[in-house]
Amino acid sequence: MTLWAIMAILFIMLFLNFPIMIVLIATGLIMMMTMAPHLDYIVFVQQMISSVEAYVLLAIPMFIFAADIIVRGQTANRLLDFVRDIIGHIRGGTGIVTAATSTLFGSVSGSSQATIAAIGPPMRNRALQYGYKDSHIMGLIVNSAGIAILIPPSIVMIYYGMLTGTSVGDLFIAGVIPGIFIFLGFALYEYIIAIRRKIPVEPKTTWSQRFKSLRGAILTFGFPIIILGGIYSGVFSPTEAAAFSVLYAFILEVIVFREVKVRDLFPIAASTGVVTSIVFILLAAGGAFSWIISYLRIPQALTETVLGNDPTQLQVLIIMSLFFLVSCMFVDSLVAIAVLTPIFFPLASQMGIDPVVIGILVTMQATLGTVTPPFGVNIFTACAVFNKPYMEVVKGVFPYIIIFMIVNVILILYPDIIIAYRYIF
Amino acid sequence: GGGSEEGSGDGGESASSGDENINIRFAHEEGQGDVQDLYVNEFKNRVEEQTDGRITVDVYTAGTLGGNSDMFTQLQTGAIDFAISSPGFTGTIIPQTQIMAVPFLFSDNMEVNKKVLDESEALYGTLAEKYEEKGLKPFKFWLEGFMYWTANKPITEPEDMKGMKMRGMPTDLIMESYRQMGADPQGTDSGEIYTMLQTGGIDGQENPLFYIYSSNFYEVQDYLMDSKHHIYTTVTVANSDWFSTLAEEDQTLIEDTIQEVNDWSFTMQQEEQEKAMAEIEKSDIEIIELTTEQRDAFKELSAPVRDAYVESGGEGAQEILETIEADIEAAEEELN
Amino acid sequence: MSKKLFLNKPGGEESMNVFDRIDRVWSKIEMTVLSVTTILMSLMLVGNAVSRYFFSRSWGFSEEIGQLAIVVLTFMGIGYAARKGMHIEMSGFFDLLPKKFQRILRLFIDIVSAAVMIFVSYLAFQYVAHLQEIGQVTTILRMPVYLVMAVVPLGFFIAFLRYLTDFIVNITGFRGKTES
Ligand code: NA
Ligand code: NA
């Protein structure tokens, strides 16, 4: 009873336009006071702090900082000019390139939020110039960045592998195919939308023009080299690659192009700090909120009620996916996985469901959870990075979520697709 | 929903007879099916069976209530009642616990280590007091097996270790010990180890065997060194205020059960290592057992860490070190 | 957005000037903290990576400083973001309401938010006191943890002041409007 009343308060507060940070803190504390009154409430503060302290999260402000620098300088434009000259004449090209870049970047940085921070702004600027609707392009960025978790390296898969003893290598391979499916779905949608909305194409450019913009852009290719090359060759961890992209942005914009002055860096850094705070206070509040939920063992109680006894394999997969999806909406995916995996994994694996299948479905829900309203870290990040109201970002996400959902449902109904790689490789 | 509102046995009324319903919240640092999880569940089963369910145990696995240092605070503030808390993670709060970070301190004979962890006055006298000062009651120290090195090349002599990016728990004593052995120690976040090993961002790492298996590190490494440079030790602790409110019979029951589970855990962890080893052997990783001479070369290099411990281990550190060294020596004489 | 409209309300010129001045100075301090922290964090991480690959020597402390820096950014930014109305909210339903309801609702949101912030600030203060009591130090630098974590109650307290100020400013503005 108490639980449902608190959930009602949560949604009412959200509707009434309370800052989401306040909603999560207030309802988390109410839950603690009513359902676990013996607790020392400082645990709530401790959980807020430790939710933002994870080392891997450091990449996010670094990518935001690098992006802030290059957006004020020339890098972004030079790179995008080059892309325009190469594929600008293809219908839907900008949308497809945005999806491809987000997917690629997300796949290596391992963090959807870092992806939005790093390449969201330049991609969005250019797409707006081409006549794309803002909410459309934001929705695309929010969702294609989500694919990051499915394509290796993936912290979610490593964590799941650790908790369940599933081979991370197998999970990595198995994640690639659904990841590509979703990307292709996005690309197709972009193509169709470009035709239907008659988004103008650029005139086809000459080879000498292309060569000229290549020369202008050549230094900016350092970014993918640092990030993709650095991580895959093992020179950098994702966090270090993020730090190096700040250094490279500094060298390019301040020393080479001289568009940004050293003293400009202070306001840029301050703005990075504010954007980081806006995203991270939600991670903090969400972390404390989910702590109290797992402390009260609410997921365990709910699963028992929902599953009953003697469920079928399909029922288990559906309920499991729903639980993970809803949890990943509210809380950080790693926390959701820590709480739910011990509940569902034994059940599902005892029914003969392959651990890799379970892992990929869990990862799918984690991905979806970050892009689905009302709570989605990617949506929040986009709001903060683009400085746009929540509703405007949310407006554009639905077509992509539908594509996500279609792939998701196919995988739940035909889980053998996930392990099809074993017959291919 | 949410049928979990009953508080734990911290009602405050000091019941003298063991007839009160008690719910124990017991957290540990590892994943489902790992050594600590098996330990806690064994404790749960035994206690629940013996009391016919009057005492129940809720088990919280790694990550559900936060990381290791979170768990420690939650134990202190009474959010949880019981925990398995590894000294490796508590050095920032109880510096004396860093004794467990000194490599080559323990014997290569596991029976010796078992005896010392079970009995040493260093642990149950001086060190236990330090826990008590922080509001915790340590019950028993126990072990989760020898530590192993993994790498993409064999490590048999100090020359091999030179300049290696070696990952260990990010505490200053462990980092220092690898520096002394000539490596370039890395405190890589545990979530990043797999990727960093795969991409070569780090060259090797140390962990107990069951963890190397459950975290799949053997998938991305070519060599496994049975180096016996260390054992992974941990301790079962409770919030002391909470424990003292329990009826005396219940306190005794719990203490006895922990002792039983502790004895049981020694065989259990051995079986887990064997299981892990059998699985790892199926992969194409090469396994190298270090000889006593080879171990001694590393041992000599890492010796200065003992001084570093005395220096940073706070009050009583010297005494703890000397006592445990003497106890290990005595046990070796008795058992070897 | 509606917040900015309210702040331009007439009346109380004298007191607003003092208010404004304090506000401006305080915003500057916040911006400086955020900016210096971000830059310090970048220097640490870049420095560590450079040292690691070119000189084969890691700075053990860089990760630690990075993690502490992120705590500083997260909590020291709350107040500034509150002042600028930048915290993320689900504005859809709100935007449909008549202006008058929006104003009343805004007052309600500000005062409740202020209450939540002062309470969390108090809890965070207790947490810091606890850290001081147990004397926890950071892993590598062995620096007292409570010193850094003091930014947490401070950050919430600043956010409390922000929401409270907004509430006061808006309620006086609102009264002025209805009376005229
Ligand atoms: Na990825
Ligand atoms: Na969501």
Side-chain angles (χ1 to χ4, degrees), chain B residues 239-253:
Chain B
N239 176 303
S240 33
D241 284 346
W242 168 82
F243 190 72
S244 63
T245 61
L246 298 183
E248 240 162 69
E249 290 99 290
D250 288 340
Q251 292 190 7
T252 320
L253 179 111

Side-chain angles (χ1 to χ4, degrees), chain A residues 325 328-330 368-377 379:
Chain A
L325 176 57
C328 290
M329 286 180 183
F330 285 89
L368 255 171
T370 58
V371 300
T372 326
F375 291 95
V377 181
I379 298 175

Side-chain angles (χ1 to χ4, degrees), chain C residues 115-136:
Chain C
V116 173
M117 288 293 101
I118 190 69
F119 184 58
V120 186
S121 172
Y122 164 72
L123 293 183
F125 177 78
Q126 284 193 320
Y127 179 58
V128 172
H130 168 80
L131 287 176
Q132 190 194 7
E133 193 187 299
I134 62 170
Q136 189 175 352

Side-chain angles (χ1 to χ4, degrees), chain A residues 46 50 158 166-167 234 295-296, chain B residues 4 60 70 79 195 199 216 219:
Chain A
Q46 180 207 24
S50 64
I158 291 173
T166 312
S167 157
Y295 181 77
L296 294 169
Chain B
S4 41
Y60 294 94
D70 299 342
T195 319
T199 58
N216 300 294
E219 290 180 0

Side-chain angles (χ1 to χ4, degrees), chain A residues 56 59-60 105-106 108-116 145 148 155:
Chain A
V56 286
I60 297 173
F105 187 89
V108 285
S109 77
S111 159
S112 314
Q113 292 87 274
T115 308
I116 295 169
I155 296 161

